[in-house]
Amino acid sequence: MTIYNFSAGPGMLPPSVLRDVQEEFLSFQGTGMSIVETSHRSARFSDVVTSFKTRLSRLMDIPTNYDILLLQGGATLQFSMIPMNLTRHGRFGYIDTGVWSKKAIADARRFGEVEVLATSVERAMWAPFDSVTSESLDYLHVTLNNTIEGTRYRDLPDVNVPLVADVSSNILAERIDVSRFGLLYAGAQKNIGPSGLTVVIKRQDLAQATDLPSYLDYANHLDLLNTPSTFSIYVAERVLRWMEEEGGVAAMQEKNERSSDIVYDYLDRSDRFRALVNGASRSLTNIPFTTGDVQEDKVFEQFAETNGVVEIGGHRSVGGLRASLYNAMPEAGARRLVDVMRAYEEGKHVSHPDV
Ligand code: PMP
């Protein structure tokens, strides 16, 4: 039975990439040494970094006046690196759309004054303004896709300060117009590769601060400052290669739209399950849902697991159920999830041919 992993992160990676990595693990490019034994300063590894950046630039259509930084510390370290590096007046704008933006706000408060310009109302995405005129803000931060709440931005606010976005759970899953942003950042472990790598895409003229500790200063990461997460970068480069072969971000987005439509359509018709988010703010990648009963959600989670649908528990802060459909999740995974929900609802066994 094929197992479909609906985890919100670390998420499912393409099986063909995992097989290639396994095959090459003992001898990286025929050197007789593993990638995890290879120097980060070697020409071979440097080629991997260059290939990663070239492929990401192509996939996301990143303009030439942006730098790609490969960091560690997860998206979480960016919650402080951003205010530290982008500070000019020490005033930062945030839109509070959920758990992750609240964490970003809490860290930014250590480095200046935070203005929360809008707050989401429960699970509906709410952006009650479309322009920010206050030039005294150093930037405006938004979380483009809220992994826990299952909401996302469709229309960005029009702002005259640099827009900074956490794209951890939607990078490469849907088109993002990089040129509208001053800085984008994402932990790799959902759509890019293994954990341990954080990608920052930053317009070159941004970041004013000086005198920061060496690792925390963006300016020091144009070349490799210290030993990066070599294995994560190596696997991530393979994932980007796979994505290009599959047709790039447009193909990923189309597949993700088909898959999430399959799940949302079922949830909207079901008597037993319902989605927690309605309308235009529904996330493409993270679908929180419930039976309406905490105990029954747990029973279904178990039932799903025995039918090859794993990691569908909601985030520990909110409970319930959640299906994350990142790029490596095939449409067949979405269909399996719906088959399993239908079988549960009808009190039957799962009839999927591949179960
Ligand atoms: N932001 C968002 C939107 C996330 O989904 C996550 C992790 N799930 C984080 C930030 C934190 O990322 P990390 O674990 O890489 O620090």
Side-chain angles (χ1 to χ4, degrees):
M1 176 170 70
T2 311
I3 304 293
Y4 294 106
N5 175 7
F6 287 88
S7 168
M12 186 170 173
L13 291 180
S16 61
V17 170
L18 296 181
R19 269 192 300 274
D20 286 351
V21 169
Q22 182 187 41
E23 216 162 85
E24 206 185 31
F25 190 68
L26 294 184
S27 180
F28 169 52
Q29 295 182 353
T31 53
M33 291 188 304
S34 172
I35 176 67
V36 295
E37 303 167 311
T38 300
S39 165
H40 62 294
R41 302 277 175 209
S42 65
R44 280 179 200 278
F45 186 72
S46 160
D47 287 348
V48 174
V49 171
T50 305
S51 172
F52 177 88
K53 290 187 179 181
T54 307
R55 288 174 194 280
L56 189 69
S57 297
R58 263 199 310 256
L59 281 161
M60 294 185 70
D61 212 2
I62 300 175
T64 51
N65 61 328
Y66 283 73
D67 290 322
I68 299 171
L69 315 178
L70 307 184
L71 307 179
Q72 299 188 59
T76 300
L77 184 57
Q78 294 314 305
F79 297 166
S80 23
M81 278 181 81
I82 288 163
M84 281 172 121
N85 281 269
L86 270 50
T87 187
R88 286 171 66 214
H89 311 287
R91 289 188 64 225
F92 319 123
Y94 279 76
I95 299 184
D96 175 2
T97 48
V99 173
W100 291 114
S101 43
K102 282 188 174 53
K103 289 184 196 265
I105 290 167
D107 277 349
R109 287 212 160 103
R110 298 168 202 275
F111 302 99
E113 195 186 318
V114 169
E115 212 174 298
V116 178
L117 292 150
T119 305
S120 62
V121 176
E122 293 183 358
R123 283 173 184 269
M125 183 69 83
W126 185 57
F129 64 92
D130 50 20
S131 71
V132 174
T133 47
S134 171
E135 282 175 17
S136 65
L137 289 179
D138 295 336
Y139 61 82
L140 175 66
H141 179 286
V142 295
T143 309
L144 273 198
N145 185 78
N146 298 283
T147 324
I148 296 174
E149 292 77 8
T151 52
R152 69 159 156 167
Y153 264 96
R154 275 176 186 267
D155 301 307
L156 286 174
D158 204 7
V159 288
N160 60 357
V161 296
L163 203 50
V164 169
D166 181 346
V167 290
S168 291
S169 46
N170 66 333
I171 189 169
L172 296 163
E174 55 188 334
R175 281 183 217 89
I176 295 172
D177 180 358
V178 177
S179 68
R180 292 202 57 186
F181 297 87
L183 187 149
L184 293 165
Y185 66 100
Q189 63 274 16
K190 302 171 198 298
N191 264 329
I192 307 175
S195 60
L197 167 66
T198 312
V199 175
V200 172
I201 302 166
K202 187 185 76 62
R203 217 174 59 209
Q204 284 158 354
D205 63 312
L206 231 66
Q208 329 282 335
T210 51
D211 222 14
L212 293 172
S214 59
Y215 192 88
L216 303 177
D217 188 341
Y218 285 138
N220 289 333
H221 289 282
L222 298 179
D223 294 316
L224 292 184
L225 170 74
N226 66 335
T227 320
S229 178
T230 50
F231 183 69
S232 306
I233 294 170
Y234 161 79
V235 179
E237 190 270 342
R238 293 301 171 110
V239 173
L240 298 193
R241 213 187 275 196
W242 169 84
M243 241 177 252
E244 289 199 296
E245 284 161 11
E246 293 289 307
V249 174
M252 294 294 131
Q253 179 168 344
E254 275 169 34
K255 191 269 301 167
N256 294 336
E257 280 169 354
R258 281 196 306 274
S259 300
S260 65
D261 279 352
I262 290 171
V263 178
Y264 281 124
D265 284 353
Y266 181 79
L267 291 169
D268 288 344
R269 283 184 286 107
S270 167
D271 293 326
R272 197 70 167 266
F273 299 95
R274 65 181 167 85
L276 291 177
V277 180
N278 290 307
S281 332
R282 281 180 165 176
S283 165
L284 185 63
T285 44
N286 307 100
I287 307 181
F289 63 104
T290 183
T291 60
D293 179 88
V294 181
Q295 286 315 318
E296 195 177 349
D297 283 350
K298 289 264 167 254
V299 173
F300 175 70
E301 200 180 325
Q302 287 293 315
F303 177 80
E305 202 167 314
T306 56
N307 288 291
V309 167
V310 304
E311 298 284 344
I312 56 157
H315 188 266
R316 59 195 154 79
S317 64
V318 291
L321 300 159
R322 173 178 53 173
S324 296
L325 298 100
Y326 297 130
N327 288 347
M329 177 62 68
E331 210 179 307
R335 281 199 298 274
R336 168 81 71 82
L337 171 61
V338 165
D339 279 350
V340 170
M341 285 195 279
R342 186 179 295 114
Y344 181 82
E345 193 165 349
E346 294 172 355
K348 293 186 186 143
H349 292 293
V350 179
S351 60
H352 200 285
D354 142 63
V355 176

